[in-house]
């Protein structure tokens, strides 16, 4: 096959080289993990048993059928039994388990996807329609397999066994992306998505190269194709020539060396050249991310996106985590951070993070019942979360952060509910820190234009640039079609950041930025120059940002930042920020 190149939106840097693993939306519903060599035969047996069970089920239906049942029904069952006996279903997935070491569900779905693609290409309508039968029979086998599913145990593979794999999909939801976090994939490619979609954010948190918005990658790339991902340029090379491969292997080695060098900064305090301390905090999705945060010497957690505890659960909104489960998760994060503050954001559900995927009814979910709006509409759910967070505050420094807040009555209702949760805890003799600080996310332009309303009621502010940019520039952050309009350096965005930082300084209210912009080293000096002293970002970005802090001369960059704020032409701003970084 000839080599070809695709261009998309770079969302997570670095170079990945591996074999394509295509994932359809059906395949996303099953677990993916590699099994150890010695477990392969047991896994084969598990799939064979499931197939036998389904055979028996079909036989029972057949024999129990009333004599006068329509003949089509019997014919239908016969077709299903035939499909199940066909080596394409009964044998090939077993070979996949043995050869690729996929778990049974993954092996079956991989083969079914392959068959479905073949059926779709058939001219004959009758044969094309058999695709549905294959899917239905596979669904039956998967159902049985689910009953025998084992807990997910990541396998430690030695180096020789490592299979370098790159996920290729049309789209992946943030919840599905979480499934992949403990696995062995080396990169991600999707047709849809944009820079600040939560799927992109999760990819960044995994610190592996990813390119989204590739349009039709999932139909152009075939299973097992060799691909190179250039996560910095947003370029994907399929079936690369030896020369190209060599170039990227060298770049990969160079990047790894640079990463290793950065690690030396782990223990250095983040202070500017003139000795001003800067807090570099971590954004986390789940408590275990605290390991990565501690590994890079984060000063605390600036944003715990608590909604990830709620996503990807069977039953969606009917199966949200209860108080105890949440409390254990928050306490775990607090304990793992060993005395450093942990800022827990209350549930930010909605838009591209739905509790019940597929049941979206809002006309425009980014402007719908999201985040605090959802929580205030579901007081029982909200109180449960508040109690769980407050209880964790008995184990270390916890701060509460409220997302998407824009109205005074929303702030007042939220504060009243926090008091209510405290009373409930007092009544049940549960410990908590009575002085837990409460902060607001500044992510709606209206909040920036009404800062005194927040400052008078809140202990701290945290700017969510991802949403602030989405709402001020009116671009859906997850929509590939408008991704080119996303620009943190838009003069309007810069003015809003400056206004918030300044208002914080004047009133003595701490202000941080926890949107993705905070983790971009190319903006660090600009933000420092604007007066920002607290940044929160993916752990993987902390050391690169620290390096920028360490060679920042505040007096010098403050003057330059002021100049940038007086500029009105985007190209000039871009140029000035580039020069500022080089200072
Ligand atoms: C933001 O909007 O910048 C933010 C940090 O929150 P999220 O990305 O989860 O919406
Ligand atoms: Mg946000």
């Amino acid at each position: 096959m000839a080599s070809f190149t695709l261009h998309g939106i770079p969302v997570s840097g670095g170079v990945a080289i591996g074999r394509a693993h295509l994932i359809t939306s059906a395949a996303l519903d099953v677990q993916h993990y590699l099994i150890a060599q010695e477990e392969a035969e047991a896994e084969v047996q598990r799939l064979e048993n499931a197939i036998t069970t389904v055979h028996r089920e079909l036989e029972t239906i057949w024999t129990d059928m009333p004599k006068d049942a329509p003949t089509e029904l019997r014919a239908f069952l016969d077709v299903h039994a035939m499909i199940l006996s066909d080596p394409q279903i009964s044998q090939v997935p077993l070979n996949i388990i043995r050869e690729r070491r996929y778990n049974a569900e993954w092996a079956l779905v991989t083969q079914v996807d392959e068959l479905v693609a073949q059926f779709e290409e058939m001219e004959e309508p009758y044969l094309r329609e058999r695709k549905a039968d294959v899917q239905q029979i596979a669904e039956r086998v998967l159902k049985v397999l689910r009953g025998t599913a084992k807990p997910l145990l990541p396998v430690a593979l030695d180096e020789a066994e490592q299979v370098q794999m790159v996920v290729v999909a049309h789209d992946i939801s943030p919840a599905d992306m979480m499934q992949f976090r403990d696995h062995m994939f080396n990169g991600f490619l999707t047709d849809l998505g944009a820079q600040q979609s939560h799927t992109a954010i999760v990819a960044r948190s995994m610190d592996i190269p990813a390119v989204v918005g590739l349009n039709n990658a999932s139909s152009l790339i075939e299973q097992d194709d060799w691909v190179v991902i250039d996560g910095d340029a947003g370029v994907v090379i399929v079936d690369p020539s030896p020369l190209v491969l060599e170039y990227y292997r060298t770049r990969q080695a160079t990047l790894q060396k640079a990463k290793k060098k950065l690690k030396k900064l782990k223990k250095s305090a983040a202070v500017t050249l003139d000795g001003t301390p800067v807090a570099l905090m971590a954004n986390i999705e789940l408590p275990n991310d605290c390991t990565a945060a501690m590994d890079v010497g984060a000063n605390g957690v600036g944003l715990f996106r608590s909604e990830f505890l709620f996503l990807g659960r069977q039953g969606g909104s009917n199966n949200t985590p209860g108080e105890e489960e949440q409390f254990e998760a928050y306490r775990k994060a607090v304990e793992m951070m060993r005395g450093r503050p942990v800022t827990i954001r209350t549930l930010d559900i909605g838009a591209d993070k739905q509790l019940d995927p597929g049941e979206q009814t809002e006309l425009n979910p980014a402007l719908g019942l999201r985040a605090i709006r959802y929580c205030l509409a579901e007081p029982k759910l909200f109180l449960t979360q508040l109690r769980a967070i407050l209880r964790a505050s008995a184990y270390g420094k916890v701060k509460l952060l409220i997302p998407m807040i824009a109205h005074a009555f929303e702030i007042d209702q939220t504060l009243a509910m926090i008091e209510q949760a405290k009373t409930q805890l007092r009544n049940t003799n549960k410990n908590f820190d009575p002085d837990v600080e409460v902060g607001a996310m500044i992510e709606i332009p209206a909040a920036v234009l009404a800062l005194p309303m927040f400052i008078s009621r809140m202990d701290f502010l945290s700017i969510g640039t991802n949403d602030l940019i989405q709402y001020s520039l009116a671009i859906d952050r997850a929509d590939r079609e408008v991704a080119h309009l996303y620009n943190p350096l838009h003069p309007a965005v810069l003015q809003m950041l400056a206004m918030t930082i300044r208002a914080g300084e004047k009133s003595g209210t701490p202000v941080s930025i926890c949107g993705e912009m905070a983790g971009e080293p190319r903006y660090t000096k600009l933000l420092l120059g604007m007066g920002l002293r607290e940044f929160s970002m993916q752990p993987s970005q902390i050391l690169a940002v620290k390096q920028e802090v360490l060679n920042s001369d505040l007096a010098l960059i403050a003057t330059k930042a002021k100049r940038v704020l007086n500029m009105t032409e985007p190209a000039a701003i871009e140029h000035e920020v580039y020069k500022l970084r080089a200072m």
Side-chain angles (χ1 to χ4, degrees), residues 196 198 201 283 303 305 307 345 348 353 370 441 443 463-468 477 514-516:
Q196 308 307 330
H198 284 92
I201 291 173
N283 288 356
L303 174 66
R305 288 185 163 97
E307 55 277 10
R345 178 174 73 182
D348 183 357
K353 294 175 288 194
R370 249 194 87 177
M441 288 206 61
E443 45 188 357
I463 311 174
T465 45
N466 308 336
D467 277 316
L468 187 61
R477 61 193 265 192
C514 62
E516 295 298 295

Side-chain angles (χ1 to χ4, degrees), residues 364-385:
N364 195 335
L367 302 180
L369 199 64
R370 249 194 87 177
I372 192 63
R373 303 169 180 183
Y374 183 90
C375 287
L376 292 176
E378 297 283 344
K380 209 166 139 224
L381 178 102
F382 194 32
L383 277 170
T384 303
Q385 178 171 44

Side-chain angles (χ1 to χ4, degrees), residues 117-129:
Q118 287 173 18
F119 276 117
E120 273 169 355
E121 281 180 6
M122 288 177 181
E123 303 253 318
E124 171 68 45
Y126 172 79
L127 287 177
R128 223 172 32 229
E129 279 159 25

